[in-house]
Each structure stands twice: as C-alpha cells, then as structure tokens.
Amino acid sequence: MNNSTFQFSVPENSPALSYASGSLEREQLKSELKRQEEEQTEIPLIIGGREIRTGRFAEVVMPCDHSRILARCHLAGEKEAEMAIEAALRAKAEWSALSWVERASIQLKAAELVSTRYRPVINAATMLGQAKNVFQAEIDAACETIDYLRYNAYFASQIYAVQPRSLMDQLNRVEYRPLEGFVFTVSPFNFTAIASNLNMSVALMGNTTVWKPSTTALLSNYHLMRIFMEAGLPPGVVNFIPGRGAELSGRVLSHRELAGIHFTGSNSTFHQLWRGVAGRVADYRSYPRLVGETGGKDFIFAHASAEAEAVATAIVRGSFEYQGQKCSAPSRAYIPRSLWPRIREIIIEMLKRVRVGDVRDFGNFMNAVIDEKAFDRIMGYINAARSSPDVEIVFGGGGDKSTGYFIQPTVLRVSDPKYATMQEEIFGPVMSLFVYEDSMFEETLRLCDDTSPYALTGAVFIRDRYAFIKACQILRYAAGNFYINDKPTGAMVGLQPFGGARASGTNDKAGGPLNLQRWINPRTIKETFIPPTSFEYPFMAET
Ligand code: NAD
C-alpha cells in the first residue's frame, strides 16, 4: 500500500473551445452530430457493471425536431431498483476501503476522457437530446463536468488532511468514513455536468449510488455512465436506472440502508422525496442526508446609477440563453424609471437579432424548450399575460411546437410587482420587468426580497457605492449566489460555489468542499498512551 500523504493542487478551470468556423473542434463536432442523429442508440440499464434490458422502452427525441428518435431506452421498474440497491451495497465494502487517492485518480481520468476523446460525443448528445446550442453544451457537458471532477479531487485532499490536535499523552485522529448504506441520486434534465457531479462527488468520498437520470437527458447521461466505466469506476459503484421517478423512489425510499439523497430538480419532486423519507424516518439505519438544489426566481435589480447597456445585455443573455432553462436564469427585473426608455430600446434592438431554431444550425442563439409539457406550461403563462390588464408584452409572446418546441424570447412589463410571473418559476424564456420610481429604491429592494419564496441567484447593477451597500444589506438572504454588475448565470466550479436557500434548496454548494462534507460520516479516534488505573481523583483525599 502506498503510504504517502497526497495533496492535489488547485486545478485550472477548463477553457471553453471556440467552435469558430474552420476550427478542428467544429469539424469533429459536426461529424459526431451527424453520427448520433443517424444512429438510433439503444440505452440499457447498467447495474453492477452489467447491461440490463427490460424490454419496456421510452423514446428519446430531439426537442428541436421531435419526430426524430435519437434513442430507445430500457426502463427500470421496482425489481431493477432492488437489483441496483443490492449492487450498490455489494460494491460498497471494497470501494470504501480503497485509498481515496485511487478513487480520485478514476475521477481525474474521467475528466481527461471528457476533455479529449469524448468531448464531441458528450457535447453532441447534450445538443441533440437537451437542445443546447454548441456554446451552452460546451460550457456544461464538457467544461463544467471536467471542473467538478478535477476540483473535487482537490477539495477531497483538503478535507482528508484536516486532523485534530493531539497531546503528549494521547493521539487523536479523525477518520472520514463514507456514509453507511447507499445514496440515491436523482438528476435534472438541464445540466449534464450536474448529473455527473451528483454521482461522482458522492462516489469520491467512498459511497456507492443508485442513479435515476432524467428521462429528458438520457442520451448524454448514458454516455457519462460509459465514460465513468471506461475511466475505471468498478461495477456497482454507480448504478444507472432510468425509469419513472415515482415508481423507483417508492422502492428506494423504503430501504433501510438509504444513507442519503443527492437531488437537483424541481421543488415538487424534492418535497415528495423529503416526505417519503420523513414518513419512514424511524425505519432507517441512519438519518438519511438530504441534499437538494431546487427552483429559483432569480432577479436583476438595476439602480439609477447602473449602466443601461450592461443591464440590457445581462437580461438578454441571462434570461434567454438555454431558453431560460437554467435554475440561475433571471426571470424578473426591477428597473428604475429613469433608465427604462433606454434599457427597453436596447433589449428590443438585441432581441430582434436573436435567432431561435435547431441546434444543428450554429447561427441560432436560442433553441427549443425541453418537451411538450414545458412548452404548454410556458405558453400558458404567456397567454394568461396576454389577456391580463396588468401586463404589457414588450417583446415576443409567440411559440410553435409543430416541428420543435420553439418559444420566442418574451419580455413582459407588469404593473403589479406581485403578478404571477414575478413570483413563480416558469423555467422558460420569459422575463418579467417592473419599473419602479427612482425615489423608491429601498422600498423596491424590500419588495424584491419579499416577492418570491426562492433565493437562488440575483444580480444588482449599480455604480453608486453607498447604494450598493444598502442593496447588499437588504438582499442579504435573497440569493445564495449574488452578483454585482454581472448576469446571475454562469457560476464556475471552484470560483463561485453554487446553491441557494429558502425554497431554492439546502444550499450545500455544489462545486465546493461543503458539498463533499455531506457525504462523509467522520469517526473521531482518541488513543491514550498510559490509561489511568485508579478511579479516585486528588480532590477526594481528605488531607
Ligand atoms: P424535475 O423535478 O421534474 O426532475 C428532476 C428529476 O427527478 C428527474 O430525474 C425526474 O425524473 C425525477 N423525478 C420526478 N418525480 C420523481 C419522484 N416522485 N421520485 C423520484 N424522482 C422523481 O426537474 P427538472 O424539470 O428535471 O429540472 C428543472 C428544475 O430543476 C427547475 O425547478 C430548476 O430550477 C431546478 N434546478 C435547480 C438547480 C439548482 O442548483 N438549484 C440546478 C438545476 C436545475
């Protein structure tokens, strides 16, 4: 056994490739897109390292062209959920006994595979299956996945190095055990990197997982699973079981060995999972760790001292990149009356140049929303706004689902700052704006803080330092990731650890050491060199 104490150094964030016309990466990606759209992949379950075919299928279609079937995926049921739990528990003993440096090495190899050989594969799968344009796929499926894997190895090395003080007569140690049992990981559709991290962060700390991927991100998630295995992840450490969430979680949550849930997705799903655990709390071996990153109603707040061009650009990029389907995407804004005419003019001028269409046409800034259910939900908000006397449609409002699920970037101006689209998460390309009187700055900051139950991301645009301090104070709990003069999307692993509180989740900060600490169960060991041999203390003697 190698007995060295190992420290991984701080990694550099993976730079995004440009995919400029004529570049090698563009050429490779285009041919991979063609290959994947022509080949109908068959996606099996992967349990204990074995491919399992159930014969019950879901079709994976392109959101930009929903008549195109990209893959057919076998679906797990209760029996396969049980098999996955058993495989995770079987793999646990050997995996958790392995030196953490060996586990980190597998993660670093996975990062290298994504960075090189599989970069076009994972990007093409994310573009076709989740409707991300090339840039959005590159910063998620390639860069962020790589960054999570590399940074986590570094953060783990820091966690394992922390030891308590010892005294002359004793030696104290902390052993960073993994949790007892298995961890249930449930991933969302909107970030390939999150699906990777939900599993690999947990596995790095010596745990094994039962992974339910999102049914609208199956192609990229299947490729991730294959990359993990090629990197050397032993059978059973991560078990891939696509299927119906409610059916699978019924089986998983009732297992006594459930050690934790690592979840990212909507509030309603997290509530179901939490309730499922709460109702059985006395039946588990340990209290399951519940880590959930959920919804957002992220804001942009402009002060009268802000630069109009910067505010408008942040609105256009932040609200409409990836069709507003980032948990961090701003979907409400507060604009001072003095700046509104200029900001309105710039937003309209920019949005007129935004093209919405298929990911295979690289000229498109926006693409389709994820599926028909999302399309109908988003259009429902837009149509209600159209008939409301409280709302003016400043831009957009159209949608067409005949070929793909396309919705125009839509800007609403509301007269009621508590109108539904200012409070509820829509998760689509809809930005609602409230224009406030310049003199009502502090009152409007309070309104911003009070309006929504969420507290994920928020941005203030401001050049006046005194006003800035006021905004920081009043909005202290309004966002877990708070931006000054920048859009509130695009957090980078290691630089801006990510997560929010209130209804936005447990704020365990993915992409930082706090998250890794949720997956360990430390044991303190005190060794006494010369143990006492009499029970009496000096104070007990009478003379
Ligand atoms: P979702 O809740 O619909 O689905 C998430 C996952 O849960 C999917 O795998 C789904 O199949 C599964 N699921 C659904 N019902 C289940 C059940 N009863 N038991 C077990 N699993 C179940 O969310 P989504 O549409 O994939 O993602 C969008 C949401 O995720 C938005 O609300 C967004 O804000 C949030 N999100 C948050 C963050 C963050 O860091 N805070 C990041 C990304 C996405």
Side-chain angles (χ1 to χ4, degrees), residues 186-187 189 212 214 245 249 264-266 269 272 294-295 327 425 498:
V186 183
S187 52
F189 80 83
K212 201 217 89 58
S214 165
S249 61
T264 301
S266 65
T269 308
Q272 287 177 50
T294 53
C327 47
E425 183 179 54
F498 192 79

Side-chain angles (χ1 to χ4, degrees), residues 468-507:
F468 159 68
I469 298 297
K470 191 56 78 189
C472 282
Q473 281 163 355
I474 296 178
L475 298 176
R476 184 161 188 226
Y477 283 95
N481 282 59
F482 192 59
Y483 293 78
I484 300 146
N485 296 326
D486 200 355
K487 67 178 168 52
T489 58
M492 288 178 75
V493 178
L495 305 186
Q496 296 100 20
F498 192 79
R502 294 186 181 163
S504 290
T506 53
N507 200 10

Side-chain angles (χ1 to χ4, degrees), residues 219-477:
L219 188 60
S220 66
N221 286 198
Y222 172 56
H223 284 296
L224 276 179
M225 184 68 203
R226 288 170 56 120
I227 293 168
F228 298 159
M229 293 196 304
E230 187 170 330
L233 199 71
V237 173
V238 173
N239 298 280
F240 176 77
I241 53 163
R244 279 195 52 242
E247 187 182 347
L248 301 181
S249 61
R251 191 76 210 88
V252 176
L253 301 188
S254 61
H255 203 288
R256 176 178 141 76
E257 298 289 334
L258 178 73
I261 297 178
H262 202 191
F263 172 79
T264 301
S266 65
N267 289 72
S268 66
T269 308
F270 194 45
H271 292 179
Q272 287 177 50
L273 293 170
W274 193 299
R275 278 192 210 104
V277 168
R280 302 175 175 96
V281 70
D283 302 337
Y284 299 114
R285 184 199 283 272
S286 314
Y287 292 106
R289 303 270 170 97
L290 302 180
V291 174
E293 300 304 333
T294 53
K297 189 68 199 172
D298 311 306
F299 60 85
I300 286 181
F301 196 110
H303 179 254
S305 67
E307 192 187 341
E309 287 73 12
V311 177
T313 306
I315 288 174
V316 170
R317 281 191 167 173
S319 311
F320 302 122
E321 282 181 318
Y322 193 37
Q323 299 73 260
Q325 297 172 116
K326 299 185 186 187
C327 47
S328 54
S331 58
R332 56 184 169 132
Y334 301 82
I335 310 291
R337 188 172 293 282
S338 59
L339 289 186
W340 173 233
R342 179 73 187 123
I343 289 177
R344 177 191 172 107
E345 184 186 3
I346 307 170
I347 289 177
I348 291 174
E349 186 275 321
M350 285 180 177
L351 289 182
K352 278 185 181 159
R353 290 189 281 136
V354 162
R355 277 175 42 193
V356 183
D358 198 302
V359 292
R360 290 167 292 185
D361 176 349
F362 282 22
N364 290 325
F365 179 78
M366 284 174 62
N367 314 102
V369 298
I370 193 69
D371 60 12
E372 186 166 22
K373 202 166 127 221
F375 179 92
D376 292 345
R377 186 192 64 238
I378 300 160
M379 288 309 295
Y381 276 102
I382 295 175
N383 291 333
R386 189 174 282 116
S387 51
S388 165
D390 293 325
V391 186
E392 173 205 352
I393 298 194
V394 176
F395 193 90
D400 178 357
K401 62 176 176 182
S402 52
T403 313
Y405 305 112
F406 297 112
I407 299 180
Q408 276 185 298
T410 298
V411 179
L412 309 175
R413 180 182 168 189
V414 299
S415 54
D416 172 5
K418 298 231 167 163
Y419 181 72
T421 62
M422 293 293 283
Q423 302 196 47
E424 296 167 20
E425 183 179 54
I426 301 172
F427 222 56
V430 182
M431 162 53 97
S432 300
L433 299 151
F434 175 68
V435 177
Y436 69 92
E437 299 304 327
D438 293 30
S439 59
M440 302 286 279
F441 173 61
E442 286 191 35
E443 291 81 347
T444 313
L445 285 172
R446 279 192 199 94
L447 180 72
C448 173
D449 183 48
D450 281 350
T451 295
S452 127
Y454 300 104
L456 190 51
T457 76
V460 290
F461 282 78
I462 206 158
R463 286 186 284 197
D464 175 328
R465 242 328 124 162
Y466 294 127
F468 159 68
I469 298 297
K470 191 56 78 189
C472 282
Q473 281 163 355
I474 296 178
L475 298 176
R476 184 161 188 226
Y477 283 95

